[in-house]
Amino acid sequence: MKRKFLFLILIVLIMCITVCGCGENDKNNSNIYKNETYSSSSELQSESDVSNSTENDIDIKIQVSYNFSEDKAWIKFQKSKNRTNYIGCINKKGNLLFYYNVNNSNTAKVKPYSNGYSFLETSNSLYLLDKNGTILQTYPVDSNNNNKQVIAYADGYVWCQEYVAEFDKAYFKYTLYGTDGKSVTDFKYEGTEPIDSMNYYEKKVWGYDKKNEGKSQKCYYCTEGDKWVNFSYIPNDEYQFYFYDDTAIIGTTYDDEDDSIGYLSLIDTKGNLSYAQLPENVGRWHDIKCFALRENCCLLYNYSKDSLISYNVSSDKFVKMDNEYVDKINYDALPDDSNALVFENGKIALPLIGSDKESYIGLFDTSLNIIGEPIKSMIYDLSDGIFTIQNKDVYDDNLNLLFSADDFGYKAVSPFHNGVAHAKNDGMQMSSGGDIYGYEGNWFYIDRNGEKLFDSVNIKQAKEIELP
């Protein structure tokens, strides 16, 4: 009887141990396999960390995050379960929409969505993507001139270069392909040396430099008008222009019969040229630097006399700054890039020097009259209708303070794009650019009130798309 009793106790103990062990394994397996929500942490979790995580707390490592455009942003990341490299697209709710395995291409890069299209470039191929991440076209990326290769792409369009060389001929053939993969236009460039580059000016307008008998010439192709336009320029005074609306300023020129008469040269998206004569008080045409035209207005800078002029295309009126701030403008701090100083909602930000010899920023209207009081700073950005000072204080374009980085404990705030900026809690160094290079490290997204857009990236509904 005693032996039977001991035997029964032994059986019960074995059963308890078995049940407890299975329960613990089930608990761990639930944490590992059922979770589909990933937060953006700077450190990948170890296997032991994963086994002890709650269902919604498994991390991914976001290596690079890009600016939002058309309500989407690209991110480069790794999942916590492996070291595979992925590139994916998220929305403003933090949902990962689709992603690609790019582990075999460490040089993979992406382009922000524009005109409803984006691009993913690996070491071997360029992929044209629609808004759902579907691969519409594939193009070769090859540095060998004997093969067709991509040299430029934007807004769903792709330029390819092909070298043709035989005993009695040698030339480069350039072909522009549309979103459907069909040829839009092409041209031959004679010789054994290719063009330096194919530039994109927005609004489906492209251009390259052509040197002919010592003369420098810009050749522009306007897709909307299916038209090539040639424009001569002075190499030492080359101007890089951008389309924001349907018209852009491509530089200055002079009258054929009287070179003392100068003009602004304008082009529309269909390739039609027009001219606006420069008034005498503006200055000579070769002393004028043009900043990009936006909202029918642009800023002109006469660098021989240190004066600023606002030009309105619609009214064809030039307004020269003639107020108390003329002598306060920090002309040496005006940017070189014509795209870096443009009007936003009829306002433009200009660098100033105060009577105390300190650096200030002033907000001006299209007649170059100041709005509000100058703000002490030398670092600023006016984009997306939001004025960011010193990467910390954020104003609307009426100089109402929206928030300060200190309010949230942020160390830095980036410029805004598509209503969204980047912020970080550690360090002070800014990224070199959200569109091309992205923001590396512990950056996260915030709205115009300074609040985080989301705390974690949800991949529950994301689809992985295989690259061909």
Side-chain angles (χ1 to χ4, degrees):
M1 186 70 180
K2 187 174 183 180
R3 287 183 179 179
K4 288 183 179 181
F5 180 73
L6 292 173
F7 181 71
L8 288 173
I9 291 175
L10 181 61
I11 291 175
V12 170
L13 288 173
I14 292 173
M15 291 178 65
C16 289
I17 293 172
T18 303
V19 170
C20 290
C22 291
E24 186 65 26
N25 287 336
D26 289 342
K27 181 180 178 181
N28 288 343
N29 289 339
S30 174
N31 287 333
I32 294 174
Y33 298 111
K34 289 185 179 180
N35 174 66
E36 292 176 294
T37 301
Y38 296 79
S39 63
S40 54
S41 170
S42 61
E43 297 293 336
L44 284 174
Q45 289 180 304
S46 66
E47 291 299 325
S48 60
D49 290 335
V50 172
S51 65
N52 292 323
S53 297
T54 61
E55 185 170 333
N56 292 318
D57 197 35
I58 296 180
D59 293 341
I60 64 170
K61 180 182 179 182
I62 294 183
Q63 299 161 309
V64 183
S65 56
Y66 294 83
N67 287 333
F68 268 89
S69 177
E70 298 188 356
D71 294 333
K72 298 180 181 67
W74 288 101
I75 59 172
K76 293 182 180 180
F77 65 95
Q78 292 179 342
K79 294 181 180 180
S80 59
K81 298 177 185 178
N82 57 51
R83 297 283 180 171
T84 302
N85 295 312
Y86 298 94
I87 288 180
C89 207
I90 61 174
N91 62 18
K92 291 183 178 179
K93 294 182 179 180
N95 297 320
L96 185 66
L97 305 174
F98 47 84
Y99 62 102
Y100 311 87
N101 183 331
V102 292
N103 204 47
N104 294 326
S105 181
N106 293 326
T107 59
K109 57 184 179 180
V110 286
K111 201 172 185 68
Y113 269 89
S114 180
N115 194 36
Y117 299 95
S118 183
F119 290 93
L120 168 61
E121 182 180 343
T122 66
S123 55
N124 298 316
S125 301
L126 175 72
Y127 303 98
L128 171 63
L129 315 173
D130 68 9
K131 62 182 181 180
N132 298 314
T134 303
I135 299 173
L136 301 179
Q137 309 294 335
T138 303
Y139 297 92
V141 177
D142 194 329
S143 60
N144 187 342
N145 284 338
N146 293 315
N147 297 318
K148 182 185 292 186
Q149 62 171 317
V150 171
I151 61 166
Y153 53 87
D155 281 355
Y157 291 80
V158 176
W159 276 100
C160 286
Q161 171 185 282
E162 187 176 4
Y163 184 48
V164 178
E166 298 176 8
F167 178 76
D168 57 351
K169 59 183 175 182
Y171 63 88
F172 287 86
K173 181 180 179 181
Y174 294 91
T175 306
L176 176 64
Y177 294 95
T179 57
D180 57 2
K182 296 180 181 179
S183 173
V184 175
T185 191
D186 61 65
F187 67 93
K188 292 181 180 179
Y189 192 77
E190 300 291 340
T192 58
E193 294 295 326
I195 63 175
D196 291 335
S197 63
M198 181 64 73
N199 302 311
Y200 188 55
Y201 304 101
E202 306 296 337
K203 297 286 184 175
K204 304 177 187 177
V205 177
W206 305 83
Y208 69 96
D209 289 337
K210 182 179 180 180
K211 294 178 176 60
N212 185 16
E213 298 179 355
K215 297 180 180 179
S216 297
Q217 196 174 58
K218 287 283 190 182
C219 300
Y220 302 120
Y221 177 69
C222 302
T223 308
E224 288 186 5
D226 188 21
K227 184 178 181 180
W228 282 95
V229 179
N230 296 330
F231 182 79
S232 298
Y233 70 98
I234 302 172
N236 293 332
D237 193 31
E238 183 179 353
Y239 171 70
Q240 181 76 17
F241 73 91
Y242 300 86
F243 274 97
Y244 281 104
D245 304 310
D246 292 333
T247 304
I249 293 179
I250 55 177
T252 59
T253 188
Y254 56 91
D255 191 276
D256 291 336
E257 298 180 358
D258 185 353
D259 63 6
S260 66
I261 300 176
Y263 301 91
L264 291 180
S265 301
L266 299 94
I267 187 173
D268 66 17
T269 54
K270 294 184 178 180
N272 300 312
L273 291 170
S274 60
Y275 303 91
Q277 185 172 342
L278 295 166
E280 290 185 6
N281 69 332
V282 168
R284 293 180 61 84
W285 62 273
H286 51 70
D287 293 331
I288 303 298
K289 174 179 175 59
C290 309
F291 290 93
L293 177 64
R294 188 173 190 175
E295 301 173 355
N296 284 318
C297 257
C298 74
L299 186 73
L300 308 177
Y301 168 44
N302 186 323
Y303 47 80
S304 68
K305 296 183 178 180
D306 275 344
S307 62
L308 297 179
I309 305 97
S310 172
Y311 174 64
N312 187 298
V313 176
S314 297
S315 63
D316 192 29
K317 289 185 178 180
F318 294 83
V319 178
K320 185 176 180 180
M321 178 180 273
D322 186 19
N323 53 41
E324 66 271 29
Y325 291 96
V326 170
D327 297 328
K328 298 292 187 181
I329 298 292
N330 186 353
Y331 296 101
D332 292 334
L334 293 176
D336 293 327
D337 187 352
S338 64
N339 190 38
L341 203 57
V342 296
F343 283 92
E344 285 262 356
N345 296 329
K347 296 156 188 174
I348 195 167
L350 298 174
L352 306 172
I353 298 178
S355 299
D356 56 4
K357 305 301 181 182
E358 298 290 338
S359 296
Y360 289 79
I361 303 299
L363 201 59
F364 293 80
D365 62 19
T366 56
S367 295
L368 299 180
N369 296 313
I370 198 163
I371 300 169
E373 294 295 324
I375 299 174
K376 192 173 184 179
S377 177
M378 61 183 301
I379 300 174
Y380 68 98
D381 178 87
L382 178 60
S383 60
D384 212 25
I386 298 177
F387 200 25
T388 306
I389 302 293
Q390 208 73 27
N391 302 130
K392 283 195 170 184
D393 296 321
V394 179
Y395 299 81
D396 65 16
D397 57 9
N398 289 314
L399 292 185
N400 298 309
L401 182 64
L402 298 176
F403 70 92
S404 174
D406 294 337
D407 297 339
F408 297 89
Y410 302 154
K411 296 297 184 182
V413 175
S414 78
F416 276 77
H417 296 272
N418 200 197
V420 179
H422 279 78
K424 65 185 308 187
N425 290 324
D426 58 340
M428 290 296 295
Q429 186 175 356
M430 291 294 294
S431 167
S432 52
D435 282 342
I436 301 175
Y437 304 105
Y439 292 81
E440 298 183 8
N442 302 326
W443 292 87
F444 47 85
Y445 296 103
I446 60 173
D447 62 20
R448 59 182 288 125
N449 296 316
E451 302 284 350
K452 281 188 180 181
L453 282 190
F454 47 81
D455 291 319
S456 61
V457 175
N458 181 4
I459 73 166
K460 187 174 182 180
Q461 302 297 326
K463 61 178 179 179
E464 182 174 359
I465 300 176
E466 185 176 350
L467 296 176

